[in-house]
Amino acid sequence: MDVLIMNEMGFPILSTLIFLPLAGALALLCIPGDSAAKIWSLVITTVTAAISLPLYWNFDLTTAKYQFGEHTPWISSLNINYTLGVDGISLLLVLLTTLIMPLCVLGSWKYISKRVKEFMICLLLMETSMLGVFMALDFVLFYVLWEAMLIPMYLLIAVWGGPRKVYASIKFFLYTLAGSVLLLVAIIALYLSQGTFFIPAMMGQAYSTNFQILVFLAFFLAFAIKVPMFPFHTWLPAAHVEAPTAGSVILASVLLKMGTYGFLRFCLPITPEATMIFLPYVQWLSVAGILYGGFTALAQQDMKKLIAYSSVGHMGFVTLGIFVLNQRGIEGAILQMINHGITTGALFFCVGMIYERTHSRELASAAGIGKFMPFYVTYLAFFSLSSLAFPGTNSFVGEFLILAGSFADNKILSACAIPGAILAAAYMFRMLQRVVWGGTKNPGHPGLLDLNLREIITLAPLLVFVFWIGLAPEPFMDVMHVSVTQLIKQTGIASHGSVSVTSLMIP
Amino acid sequence: MKLTLFAPELLLLMGGLVLFLMSTGKTSGRTARAITLAMALLNIAVCVGCLRFEGALFYDAYKIDLFSQSLKLVISVGFAIVLLFGTELKGVADDVRPEYYFFLTLSTLGLLMLVSSVELLTMFIALELSSYSLYLLVPMRDDHSGLRMQMESAIKYVLFGVVATGVMLFGMSYMFGLTGTTYFVKLLPALQQMMGNPVAIVAIAMVMGGFFFKLAVFPFHFWAPDVYQGASNETTAFIASVPKIAAVAILIRIVTLVTPEGQAIITMLMVFSICSMFYGNLIALVQTDVKRMLGFSGIAHAGYVLLGLVTLQDAGYATSLYYIVGYLVMNIAGFLVVCKVSQQGENVRISDLSGLYKRSPLLAFTMAVSMFAMAGIPPFVGFMGKFMLLTGAYKAGYVTLVILAAINTAISLYYYLSVVRVTYTASPGDRPALVVDGTTKAVSLALVVIIIALGVAPDSILKIATDAVRTIL
């Protein structure tokens, strides 16, 4: 247990974060009335977010060990434990989750009008399992939470979704669950070879190459579907388009990150040899994803679909960053995971806000809306700029690091990925141009109200992070630095040398 | 003879006698049910009280130990739950209800005796007592549709049952011929030494066949979907869950006969396991009748249970027991919803569940939990059971079997999910809201809680199961 620093804060902060939303969901069962349910969920998610902040303040930046650890035996006959802990890789994802959830409640305030209580219960259950996935250090605990999250997400899409919600929800559920079935077999195989489900104990062990290849393939299928990597992405546009706004935001901001988190936490340190063997294929799949996502996004008329396909491209950058296996690439990938969560989450909120007003997500029907909704277009413009990695915004830092990392690894690869950034500019500007200045005269537009205070508050924190990370990424980079160094050491691949972000950005 | 050792059986026997007397007169179904229910609840208490008793009865043909007593408790609980939610018993005519409860009680009595018997003839008699009562329950259905499906099902059930019994009896005669005894205590060492002998293998395989029939393992499964469809909903709830507990218990007793030299039997178990999983899951995909679908899914689950048996280890047997207990709970939860949705005791098609969410949120929730649990999704008991079965089988070296089982889990998702889909997303159309009485509400909530609790905290029940398995023989 020397890799786990036990929690010494006086109260079990990680368990509190996991179980507070669950308790909130149970309490919701007894709370009558729709508005009470909304307020209660907002309070619970905000309190959870507040409780998560000390994680950042008390985080020890100098060690790669898992911190705030908790350890209780769970199923002793199989040596399964309830073990929690966060390191530099998971901390930011935990914070991202706790930040996004209150915004999701706010963003659903008016959008959800039927079965409000059940909707909020699903949101809170999602929060419990997502936080648990990022904190779990026991593989069974991880798997339980990883799968349990499917049920509330399935219901979010199937009950509150758009016209083709049934198709989309089933596709989402079957794809992701079928993908992770073999993950279970891999977990069992690892357990029997190490005698424990403690994840850090499985890392850096000398498994035979054949064993690694099989385990890697099982891991890869589960995580690649979740990311989703091209060509496993086909569930994503359907799920995104049909899900309610909060569902899309959670999907884009957090769920997709669970796949890339899986790559970082399991594939690289547990099966390093197999990772090296499959490296070129995964890298080229990532580049294919970047280009495919970009081109497809360019052709979309539906704004939600556009952002969904852009996600495929953005996540391609993230997997590329991870699998170039150097410090810059991986740090860029982790930062880009956070960035994508913030930016794409915000863009989905923006589309949801238009949809609430015009009941359409078509670019054509939103054309020219800028004249009547100045606040809205301001937000939309900033988030679009962030999405296309405009310098000064968060995604620029992430994509720059990833491309710098991949350039050090393979110049041809890097050259093939760069057009992805140009494509992003093309489809984002196309959307922005239509929505803000599009000349179409839609009779309904003059009556549209601009954002109200609730909507402004929903988007404001995300905008703050867009610029904060874009202009001063150090506080975020510092968190992950030691852990990433350790990860690269475990992977056994020589680092291409670590360079501070500032020296990269300011020549 | 110490009567306390025989208390649960004695109680059911007395209750059965009372019900028999009532059936000769003009007792209403309501009274009969009240008496049966009171007896079933009392029986749970008695079983709890007798849990730690140990001893032997009837010239050592009948063994009381933790294994038998804990299983008796589970069987009694299953029996009581089926009675509790079967308030209306819509599928059975009022004038035959005393008989109905009489045979249901007798069948439970047979199952209780079955888990305690450690001698071939006792086992045979107990099994037949339980089976024949069930054969009689199936045609008691009062089918409003006039299809008279119950008759066909009953005949099928009896014919297949008799064949299975015949095969089993034949196997028993081999066992007796080889060893000169019918007592397990002596059979065990004698047969274990003869594992290289093909006759011994054939004998064990044939005896197993009788219990494969009860458990609906491929290729002894043919009766299951038809009987499920033909019998009244409450009867099916019982047939589909409770006898399976006893079947797994006895299979464990028989498997302990096998030593690693009996590779043929292990191979047979593996083949049956794989065939059951694939056959059950693939055919279930196209079913429209909920009970038939559950029937085929039951065949698949029987395949999963065999995974624990092929390990030939205590831990594997304990997991099989844990899994089948979990299956009892999640299956009964599903049947509870079927019984309640059915308005006049008719069969329920999957489309009849459309929009159940609006008609009765609690029933819809129970159905969803039951389906997710059977599909093996955490945090429900089905996941933990499958996980431990897979771990055990992997540990024993059956990697291919584990991978095939995992793939089957993925296949089964589709039809479980389609039930949840119609429940939550389809429109109820002109189907009226359902009125659910207090007992049913309490029972379904309790089932949901048990399904979650067993999945989240499997340690305690697993420990009992392991202890129980160790006390065998």
Side-chain angles (χ1 to χ4, degrees):
Chain A
M1 278 298 172
D2 55 337
V3 287
L4 184 65
I5 301 174
M6 298 309 278
N7 175 38
E8 279 162 7
M9 291 178 73
F11 77 108
I13 184 166
L14 298 186
S15 288
T16 313
L17 286 174
I18 293 184
F19 288 109
L20 187 65
L22 182 66
L26 288 178
L28 258 185
L29 288 171
C30 322
I31 293 178
D34 285 355
S35 34
K38 288 180 205 164
I39 294 170
W40 174 253
S41 317
L42 186 61
V43 169
I44 289 285
T45 46
T46 315
V47 171
T48 312
I51 294 178
S52 70
L53 289 179
L55 284 182
Y56 183 80
W57 296 326
N58 295 344
F59 191 78
D60 183 353
L61 295 177
T62 59
T63 172
K65 291 178 181 172
Y66 298 88
Q67 306 183 28
F68 313 103
E70 289 173 36
H71 180 83
T72 317
W74 180 20
I75 304 169
S76 45
S77 54
L78 284 174
N79 196 11
I80 298 172
N81 301 300
Y82 173 81
T83 315
L84 302 177
V86 289
D87 68 349
I89 298 173
S90 47
L91 175 67
L92 290 177
L93 290 163
V94 169
L95 294 175
L96 174 72
T97 311
T98 56
L99 165 77
I100 288 287
M101 289 314 290
L103 306 182
C104 284
V105 175
L106 272 179
S108 317
W109 209 264
K110 279 274 178 328
Y111 192 92
I112 300 299
S113 53
K114 58 166 188 175
R115 303 181 192 172
V116 175
K117 200 188 320 186
E118 287 87 345
F119 182 85
M120 294 300 167
I121 289 178
C122 284
L123 280 191
L124 292 173
L125 292 179
M126 287 297 299
E127 180 161 24
T128 287
S129 45
M130 292 186 303
L131 287 173
V133 160
F134 293 131
M135 294 172 185
L137 289 183
D138 183 278
F139 225 141
V140 175
L141 183 64
F142 171 87
Y143 189 82
V144 165
L145 292 160
W146 167 276
E147 296 286 49
M149 171 223 64
L150 291 179
I151 299 174
M153 193 66 217
Y154 167 76
L155 291 175
L156 279 182
I157 302 177
V159 177
W160 292 274
R164 290 171 73 229
K165 57 191 180 184
V166 175
Y167 164 77
S169 58
I170 295 239
K171 197 167 177 183
F172 160 76
F173 197 99
L174 289 181
Y175 247 86
T176 43
L177 191 53
S180 44
V181 162
L182 289 180
L183 178 63
L184 189 62
V185 180
I187 294 176
I188 295 172
L190 284 167
Y191 161 65
L192 292 174
S193 100
Q194 292 302 317
T196 174
F197 284 107
F198 187 51
I199 294 169
M202 293 172 172
M203 297 174 177
Q205 304 287 339
Y207 305 102
S208 75
T209 312
N210 279 340
F211 182 81
Q212 284 199 27
I213 288 177
L214 293 177
V215 170
F216 179 90
L217 287 175
F219 280 162
F220 183 77
L221 190 64
F223 300 140
I225 288 178
K226 200 76 151 198
V227 171
M229 285 185 76
F230 176 85
F232 304 104
H233 66 278
T234 56
W235 63 269
L236 178 94
H240 265 325
V241 170
E242 299 306 325
T245 301
S248 301
V249 173
I250 293 178
L251 257 178
S253 298
V254 187
L255 286 202
L256 305 190
K257 308 307 171 303
M258 286 164 53
T260 43
Y261 174 74
F263 284 139
L264 287 167
R265 176 67 79 230
F266 303 110
C267 283
L268 267 51
I270 295 180
T271 59
E273 273 184 58
T275 306
M276 286 310 288
I277 293 171
F278 289 102
L279 198 66
Y281 306 103
V282 186
Q283 287 176 343
W284 284 107
L285 271 187
S286 305
V287 173
I290 295 172
L291 298 178
Y292 172 86
F295 278 116
T296 324
L298 203 52
Q300 298 308 315
Q301 294 304 323
D302 182 313
M303 288 163 76
K304 239 179 165 177
K305 259 192 186 156
L306 190 153
I307 300 167
Y309 278 109
S310 83
S311 285
V312 176
H314 289 311
M315 293 311 284
F317 270 112
V318 176
T319 47
L320 178 66
I322 292 174
F323 282 93
V324 295
L325 291 183
N326 57 41
Q327 186 106 18
R328 265 182 252 169
I330 293 181
E331 286 186 2
I334 298 173
L335 191 68
Q336 192 62 0
M337 281 156 74
I338 307 296
N339 293 339
H340 180 258
I342 293 168
T343 307
T344 309
L347 284 171
F348 275 122
F349 275 129
C350 288
V351 176
M353 287 165 186
I354 287 203
Y355 185 74
E356 269 179 65
R357 288 167 170 77
T358 63
H359 296 283
S360 163
R361 289 184 299 255
E362 293 295 312
L363 270 179
S365 65
I369 221 167
K371 212 191 259 179
F372 310 100
M373 300 175 69
F375 268 114
Y376 176 80
V377 272
T378 315
Y379 269 130
L380 186 69
F382 280 128
F383 290 127
S384 302
L385 288 180
S386 159
S387 180
L388 62 86
F390 196 75
T393 63
N394 55 352
S395 300
F396 174 73
V397 187
E399 268 186 32
F400 189 88
L401 281 169
I402 292 171
L403 287 175
S406 76
F407 199 74
D409 184 67
N410 184 341
K411 291 186 177 53
I412 304 173
L413 193 74
S414 188
C416 293
I418 285 171
I422 300 165
L423 278 171
Y427 59 72
M428 273 303 161
F429 278 131
R430 172 170 163 265
M431 179 177 92
L432 204 57
Q433 187 269 334
R434 289 281 199 88
V435 173
V436 183
W437 298 284
T440 324
K441 284 203 176 72
N442 277 315
H445 280 181
L448 290 180
L449 294 173
D450 203 355
L451 300 189
N452 59 29
L453 187 62
R454 172 180 61 80
E455 289 166 325
I456 291 176
I457 293 175
T458 310
L459 293 175
L462 297 172
L463 193 63
V464 169
F465 278 100
V466 162
F467 286 113
W468 186 359
I469 300 178
L471 299 171
E474 248 84 23
F476 303 92
M477 304 298 294
D478 291 345
V479 169
M480 64 180 85
H481 191 74
V482 184
S483 295
V484 172
T485 314
Q486 164 78 6
L487 175 69
I488 286 174
K489 208 159 71 189
Q490 266 166 342
T491 318
I493 315 299
S495 159
H496 289 288
S498 84
V499 183
S500 91
V501 190
T502 339
S503 71
L504 274 173
M505 287 176 57
I506 306 159
Chain B
M1 183 177 117
K2 278 191 285 181
L3 275 182
T4 45
L5 293 181
F6 201 54
E9 292 89 334
L10 217 51
L11 178 68
L12 287 189
L13 196 60
M14 304 307 277
L17 216 56
V18 172
L19 285 166
F20 173 68
L21 289 176
M22 288 168 76
S23 69
T24 56
K26 280 191 175 165
T27 322
S28 73
R30 193 180 291 258
T31 324
R33 176 174 178 271
I35 291 178
T36 322
L37 187 58
M39 177 191 64
L41 294 175
L42 185 60
N43 194 40
I44 295 179
V46 173
C47 282
V48 173
C50 297
L51 200 57
R52 291 284 168 180
F53 285 7
E54 282 179 12
L57 290 173
F58 309 125
Y59 307 99
D60 291 340
Y62 203 79
K63 195 159 177 256
I64 315 293
D65 51 17
L66 183 62
F67 182 72
S68 65
Q69 297 309 89
S70 48
L71 285 166
K72 277 178 201 171
L73 176 62
V74 176
I75 292 170
S76 305
V77 170
F79 176 51
I81 294 176
V82 172
L83 284 173
L84 265 176
F85 71 73
T87 33
E88 297 101 336
L89 201 59
K90 286 167 273 193
V92 177
D94 194 56
D95 53 340
V96 293
R97 284 190 192 177
E99 284 92 335
Y100 179 88
Y101 289 116
F102 169 59
F103 286 118
L104 204 59
T105 311
L106 271 196
S107 180
T108 314
L109 172 64
L111 294 175
L112 292 196
M113 288 170 60
L114 189 58
V115 293
S116 262
S117 51
V118 286
E119 192 258 353
L120 291 178
L121 283 179
T122 322
M123 187 188 275
F124 179 72
I125 291 167
L127 179 68
E128 292 310 289
L129 177 62
S130 136
S131 303
Y132 275 86
S133 313
L134 291 182
Y135 299 156
L136 288 166
L137 286 178
V138 176
M140 277 190 186
R141 181 178 203 186
D142 187 17
D143 199 356
H144 298 283
S145 61
L147 286 172
R148 301 184 67 75
M149 211 159 32
Q150 68 274 28
M151 297 304 173
E152 189 195 326
S153 308
I155 290 172
K156 217 169 191 175
Y157 197 15
V158 174
L159 285 182
F160 277 110
V162 167
V163 171
T165 305
V167 169
M168 182 175 70
L169 207 51
F170 204 39
M172 286 181 173
S173 74
Y174 273 151
M175 282 192 181
F176 178 67
L178 285 169
T179 61
T181 177
T182 55
Y183 284 89
F184 263 66
V185 194
K186 291 177 190 150
L187 268 177
L188 178 72
L191 272 181
Q192 277 183 342
Q193 281 174 358
M194 281 184 229
M195 268 299 148
N197 187 342
V199 186
I201 302 278
V202 169
I204 294 176
M206 283 178 132
V207 174
M208 278 185 166
F211 296 96
F212 286 157
F213 168 77
K214 274 273 167 218
L215 195 57
V217 172
F218 182 95
F220 296 88
H221 65 276
F222 282 102
W223 61 276
D226 293 322
V227 171
Y228 282 23
Q229 191 181 12
S232 74
N233 296 333
E234 287 83 356
T235 318
T236 314
F238 185 85
I239 295 178
S241 339
V242 186
K244 292 193 172 169
I245 301 271
V248 171
I250 301 302
L251 274 175
I252 290 175
R253 271 201 203 282
I254 300 173
V255 167
T256 51
L257 289 170
V258 180
T259 58
E261 287 100 77
Q263 190 58 44
I265 297 210
I266 303 172
T267 314
M268 179 188 82
L269 286 174
M270 278 174 62
V271 171
F272 285 2
S273 167
I274 294 171
C275 292
S276 290
M277 289 188 285
F278 274 102
Y279 178 84
N281 280 329
L282 290 177
I283 309 279
L285 288 176
V286 294
Q287 298 306 317
T288 51
D289 183 306
V290 180
K291 284 199 291 176
R292 270 188 91 81
M293 189 274 279
L294 287 172
F296 283 107
S297 101
I299 296 171
H301 283 282
Y304 296 126
V305 169
L306 293 188
L307 284 179
L309 299 184
V310 294
T311 60
L312 298 185
Q313 280 160 354
D314 290 358
Y317 304 151
T319 322
S320 282
L321 273 186
Y322 169 80
Y323 191 79
I324 202 72
V325 171
Y327 176 71
L328 170 96
V329 184
M330 50 202 188
N331 203 30
I332 282 192
F335 273 106
L336 181 149
V337 179
V338 171
C339 290
K340 293 298 155 188
V341 169
S342 165
Q343 289 296 303
Q344 287 165 329
E346 77 282 7
N347 278 4
V348 175
R349 284 163 299 146
I350 292 180
S351 56
D352 292 332
L353 295 172
S354 297
L356 185 61
Y357 178 87
K358 290 199 177 115
R359 303 168 65 201
S360 165
L362 180 64
L363 287 184
F365 182 65
T366 311
M367 195 63 170
V369 168
S370 160
M371 290 298 124
F372 282 132
M374 287 213 240
I377 294 167
F380 305 116
V381 62
F383 164 75
M384 217 26 112
K386 259 181 208 152
F387 170 70
M388 289 193 279
L389 283 173
L390 293 183
T391 311
Y394 197 108
K395 211 180 214 164
Y398 302 107
V399 183
T400 323
L401 197 56
V402 169
I403 292 175
L404 289 177
I407 291 172
N408 260 286
T409 307
I411 300 175
S412 71
L413 279 177
Y414 185 79
Y415 60 86
Y416 289 127
L417 200 60
S418 66
V419 173
V420 182
R421 184 199 59 188
V422 294
T423 316
Y424 273 88
T425 59
S427 147
D430 53 0
R431 299 181 182 88
L434 288 167
V435 186
V436 184
D437 58 277
T439 323
T440 310
K441 277 184 189 159
V443 172
S444 49
L445 267 181
L447 288 173
V448 168
V449 170
I450 296 175
I451 290 174
I452 297 176
L454 283 183
V456 175
D459 233 13
S460 53
I461 185 167
L462 207 62
K463 194 173 169 302
I464 297 177
T466 315
D467 288 350
V469 166
R470 294 213 172 106
T471 60
I472 296 184
L473 300 170

